[in-house]
Amino acid sequence: MLNLYNTQIEELYIHRVGNKCRGEGVFLSEDPYQITDEDRPLLKEFFLKPFREKDEQYFQFTHEVSLEFNELYTLSYDVANNKRPMSKISKDIACLLYHLSSHPHIKSGEVYVCRLENMLVDNEKVNGLGIFKSEIKKDYMQFQEGKSRLEMNISQGVSLDKLDKGAIILTNKGSKTGFRVLYIDSNKYDSKYWIENFLNIEEIQDEIFKTKNYLEFCRGFAKDVVLPAEDKQEEVLFLNKSFDYFASNDEFEESDFINQTIENPDLVPEFENYKFEKAPKYKIEDLTSFEIDNPAVNEMRKKNKSTIELDTNITIKMDFISADSADRYIEKGWDEEKQMYYYLCYFNKEK
């Protein structure tokens, strides 16, 4: 788990990168920005807050030929190994971004390049390289007292409430395999430019990746197969059993998972067919066993909606600690007189 609470921003260089196809040019700072005590908490919140609020999902640098051809990877490697001064590396990063800013939709903006120290990853201190970009300018008003009235000046500037783009490269984690990278992109209209062209990253297929993707696959199977074949209750029941299996085991084994979560034997071949068809979408083609990441299970479970919405404007919400609660305490039936389905719920007392 990433902890940015004690992170320090060091050697901050600020450059301006324009749109190359519009001939806007690039401005490269020779000297680092001198961060004051007043600046430091504001900049730290501006740069790091989006990463605290986003799901912790690690990526790594990649290249279709060889990792060494990924320019940002080689620049990050230079930072990690102190091969060149930060002033030169930050300029190279800004120039790389400028050469990639050739589409008319790409906005000019300020690029901030800095060292990040004292980050914690799984309680281990790590350092990193921070690359951030601000693009959207907002109008703001400044006021000054005159002799007989309050003067107002309207200007444009960068709002500290929203970072447009950013990347944190953990420079002492996975240097040989592409580092561990986190990214932010608030403006989706040009995400290819930032994620694919500039960063050129792919998601790390570790235990977190495998756990999350397989649970997403289970969610798809529940919606696309279990619900049409059975009913909403069985869909919810299968999902809760799936989460219960992941929460109570350290290792995933697919045949054991199927035995514990699918009661209807007719759905077992449907599960296998669905995986054969959808595995590329969820990137689980070769997954039949892996180590389960418990924090990832908890994160995914919070997103799981165990609800049954009825056409009579009634919603049944089920928040189960034990996955078999839907099976033990809820019964579905048919009322001949009313010609309607019903749910019968058992309980000891109201809370």
Side-chain angles (χ1 to χ4, degrees):
M1 181 173 291
L2 179 67
N3 186 331
L4 298 171
Y5 183 77
N6 292 316
T7 302
Q8 295 297 317
I9 300 170
E10 304 294 344
E11 283 194 271
L12 172 62
Y13 287 84
I14 306 176
H15 310 291
R16 176 171 288 123
V17 173
N19 185 293
K20 188 177 181 181
C21 78
R22 293 197 293 265
E24 291 175 341
V26 58
F27 179 87
L28 302 175
S29 297
E30 295 292 336
D31 301 316
Y33 178 78
Q34 299 302 312
I35 306 175
T36 66
D37 291 339
E38 291 78 17
D39 295 336
R40 194 171 295 278
L42 295 173
L43 289 172
K44 182 176 175 179
E45 190 72 2
F46 179 46
F47 294 154
L48 303 184
K49 181 182 177 182
F51 292 92
R52 297 199 307 267
E53 295 176 342
K54 187 181 179 185
D55 291 344
E56 192 174 324
Q57 190 173 12
Y58 287 105
F59 293 75
Q60 63 187 8
F61 291 118
T62 186
H63 195 276
E64 58 184 6
V65 178
S66 176
L67 187 58
E68 287 72 22
F69 291 103
N70 184 313
E71 294 183 67
L72 191 54
Y73 165 75
T74 59
L75 292 169
S76 301
Y77 190 85
D78 287 348
V79 172
N81 294 277
N82 296 312
K83 286 186 172 292
R84 294 190 296 137
M86 190 66 180
S87 58
K88 294 184 178 179
I89 294 174
S90 73
K91 289 181 182 178
D92 288 345
I93 290 173
C95 288
L96 172 61
L97 193 58
Y98 174 69
H99 287 303
L100 295 171
S101 303
S102 56
H103 193 280
H105 289 167
I106 295 172
K107 290 181 169 56
S108 61
E110 292 71 38
V111 177
Y112 315 82
V113 183
C114 63
R115 292 184 186 270
L116 298 172
E117 298 181 355
N118 293 327
M119 294 182 288
L120 284 178
V121 177
D122 298 329
N123 295 319
E124 176 188 352
K125 278 189 178 182
V126 298
N127 296 326
L129 170 66
I131 305 171
F132 313 100
K133 188 184 179 191
S134 57
E135 298 174 334
I136 307 299
K137 304 297 189 293
K138 291 188 176 181
D139 295 331
Y140 66 92
M141 295 184 293
Q142 288 183 320
F143 299 92
Q144 186 175 3
E145 292 183 7
K147 289 184 178 180
S148 60
R149 65 185 180 187
L150 198 62
E151 302 290 346
M152 177 179 68
N153 295 316
I154 299 178
S155 304
Q156 274 199 336
V158 174
S159 171
L160 294 178
D161 293 333
K162 182 182 178 182
L163 177 68
D164 292 303
K165 290 175 169 58
I168 294 176
I169 298 105
L170 307 183
T171 50
N172 50 353
K173 285 284 185 181
S175 61
K176 299 297 184 183
T177 56
F179 294 110
R180 293 170 73 176
V181 183
L182 295 159
Y183 82 89
I184 291 293
D185 187 7
S186 301
N187 306 321
K188 299 300 181 183
Y189 56 82
D190 58 357
S191 59
K192 183 176 179 181
Y193 144 77
W194 184 254
I195 301 169
E196 296 182 25
N197 298 342
F198 177 59
L199 297 176
N200 195 358
I201 51 177
E202 63 181 5
E203 193 170 358
I204 296 176
Q205 298 192 16
D206 55 8
E207 287 72 27
I208 298 174
F209 174 90
K210 295 171 184 177
T211 301
K212 287 184 176 181
N213 281 34
Y214 206 99
L215 283 171
E216 283 291 355
F217 162 76
C218 291
R219 200 195 305 272
F221 175 74
K223 179 182 177 182
D224 297 338
V225 179
V226 179
L227 177 59
E230 303 282 347
D231 55 27
K232 186 67 178 180
Q233 183 183 4
E234 290 300 320
E235 177 196 8
V236 172
L237 180 60
F238 169 76
L239 271 179
N240 277 279
K241 284 187 174 182
S242 299
F243 279 103
D244 189 60
Y245 178 91
F246 274 80
S248 58
N249 289 279
D250 295 324
E251 296 276 344
F252 175 87
E253 204 288 311
E254 191 167 72
S255 60
D256 182 50
F257 170 78
I258 292 172
N259 289 335
Q260 293 196 36
T261 58
I262 301 179
E263 292 186 1
N264 185 346
D266 293 337
L267 289 181
V268 174
E270 293 293 332
F271 182 91
E272 295 169 350
N273 291 335
Y274 189 79
K275 184 181 179 184
F276 178 80
E277 179 186 349
K278 299 293 185 179
K281 174 184 176 181
Y282 296 99
K283 300 179 182 178
I284 59 167
E285 295 97 319
D286 302 320
L287 285 188
T288 56
S289 62
F290 55 88
E291 289 186 17
I292 294 172
D293 184 81
N294 289 325
V297 177
N298 294 332
E299 180 185 321
M300 294 293 291
R301 195 162 207 165
K302 290 177 182 178
K303 298 179 181 179
N304 186 44
K305 287 181 63 179
S306 296
T307 58
I308 300 175
E309 297 180 359
L310 308 178
D311 59 1
T312 51
N313 297 322
I314 295 174
T315 299
I316 302 174
K317 181 181 178 182
M318 295 172 286
D319 185 11
F320 300 132
I321 299 175
S322 175
D324 64 352
S325 295
D327 197 30
R328 292 171 59 192
Y329 304 131
I330 296 180
E331 293 181 6
K332 184 177 181 180
W334 173 260
D335 188 297
E336 289 289 349
E337 182 178 345
K338 292 186 176 181
Q339 292 292 295
M340 297 175 72
Y341 291 103
Y342 65 83
Y343 279 107
L344 178 62
C345 303
Y346 294 93
F347 63 95
N348 292 311
K349 60 181 180 179
E350 296 178 349
K351 292 185 178 181

